Amino acid sequence: MNWDWGAVRDFMPHFWDGLLVTLQVLALGSVISFALGLVWALLMRAPTRWVRWPVGAVTEFVRDTPLLVQLFFLFYVLPEWGLTFSALATGVFAIGLHYSTYTMQVYRAGIEAVPAGQWEAATALNLPRRRTWTAVILPQAIRRVVPALGNYVISMLKDTPMLMAITVLEMLGQARLYSQQHFRFTEPLTVIGVAFILVSYLASLLLRALERRLVR
């Protein structure tokens, strides 16, 4: 194998462009998945089954279908219904929606792990329901589930290359485009592999630091 450092230098501007897109997808997708997952979890605790059943059906459907199928559907089918979004916006929403069905389960587990005495104490203090959730239940639940949520951040990072299927040039998309244009595959793909390892490692360090801070 002939390693060409010149090819690495030529590829680096494309790599930085792809890395920026990857980090944008990861950050925005994480925000959507965390926020929407919490909404799903709260709706699943609604007192009426006419709320729980539709939410359960939708989240089960999203969780049980491949992310790639959802990407194709949102990117190619929705425009036929008059709903057109950019490839990047579609990818961000698809990843956020897909992983929200997993973070929902994490939130549910965290809420159910809050001791019953906390609910009883809030009732005894005559706290409003909203105040009970925002000041008592959710802070304890979220503190418990940070490690599990962090695992899904890493999973989202590793799924960002799927966006290449809808023309989003994230890191792997840039590597593929460069390789096809210059017939050099080893250097760009190696750079991308190392980049994924480093980003995953840095993300795990940040999540561990956040976890330690919340445990204090």
Side-chain angles (χ1 to χ4, degrees):
M1 179 184 70
N2 295 322
W3 182 266
D4 186 354
W5 285 107
V8 175
R9 288 194 298 272
D10 290 342
F11 173 64
M12 289 311 294
H14 304 279
F15 164 75
W16 293 118
D17 290 341
L19 177 62
L20 178 60
V21 173
T22 296
L23 294 178
Q24 286 178 331
V25 172
L26 180 61
L28 296 175
S30 297
V31 170
I32 293 173
S33 68
F34 293 165
L36 193 54
L38 181 58
V39 171
W40 296 139
L42 295 177
L43 289 176
M44 287 298 291
R45 297 183 64 88
T48 172
R49 62 183 180 181
W50 300 112
V51 174
R52 296 195 305 270
W53 286 5
V55 170
V58 169
T59 55
E60 189 68 24
F61 175 80
V62 173
R63 187 166 54 248
D64 291 344
T65 54
L67 175 58
L68 189 58
V69 173
Q70 295 165 17
L71 283 167
F72 281 145
F73 183 88
L74 293 173
F75 190 65
Y76 293 109
V77 177
L78 288 187
E80 297 182 3
W81 298 349
L83 298 173
T84 303
F85 303 96
S86 68
L88 181 60
T90 301
V92 167
F93 178 72
I95 283 187
L97 174 64
H98 185 80
Y99 276 94
S100 72
T101 61
Y102 293 95
T103 58
M104 175 193 75
Q105 300 295 345
V106 174
Y107 284 125
R108 287 181 64 183
I111 292 170
E112 292 172 0
V114 175
Q118 298 295 313
W119 295 92
E120 296 169 357
T123 302
L125 293 172
N126 200 29
L127 291 179
R129 186 171 180 82
R130 178 177 297 182
R131 180 69 174 168
T132 299
W133 278 103
T134 58
V136 180
I137 304 304
L138 288 181
Q140 297 183 61
I142 292 175
R143 187 179 298 115
R144 296 169 185 268
V145 302
V146 166
L149 292 177
N151 291 335
Y152 285 118
V153 172
I154 305 301
S155 296
M156 277 187 273
L157 171 65
K158 292 188 289 187
D159 275 347
T160 54
M162 288 193 185
L163 272 62
M164 181 175 56
I166 59 170
T167 73
V168 175
L169 291 179
E170 40 64 61
M171 286 196 293
L172 184 58
Q174 291 284 2
R176 183 188 179 202
L177 183 62
Y178 179 89
S179 298
Q180 291 174 339
Q181 292 175 342
H182 297 84
F183 302 101
R184 297 294 306 187
F185 293 89
T186 301
E187 293 84 3
L189 291 177
T190 300
V191 170
I192 294 305
V194 172
F196 270 107
I197 293 173
L198 292 178
V199 173
S200 297
Y201 180 68
L202 291 175
S204 65
L205 290 180
L206 290 174
L207 290 166
R208 289 175 193 168
L210 177 61
E211 180 184 357
R212 288 194 296 268
R213 184 177 181 85
L214 290 174
V215 168
R216 290 178 184 175

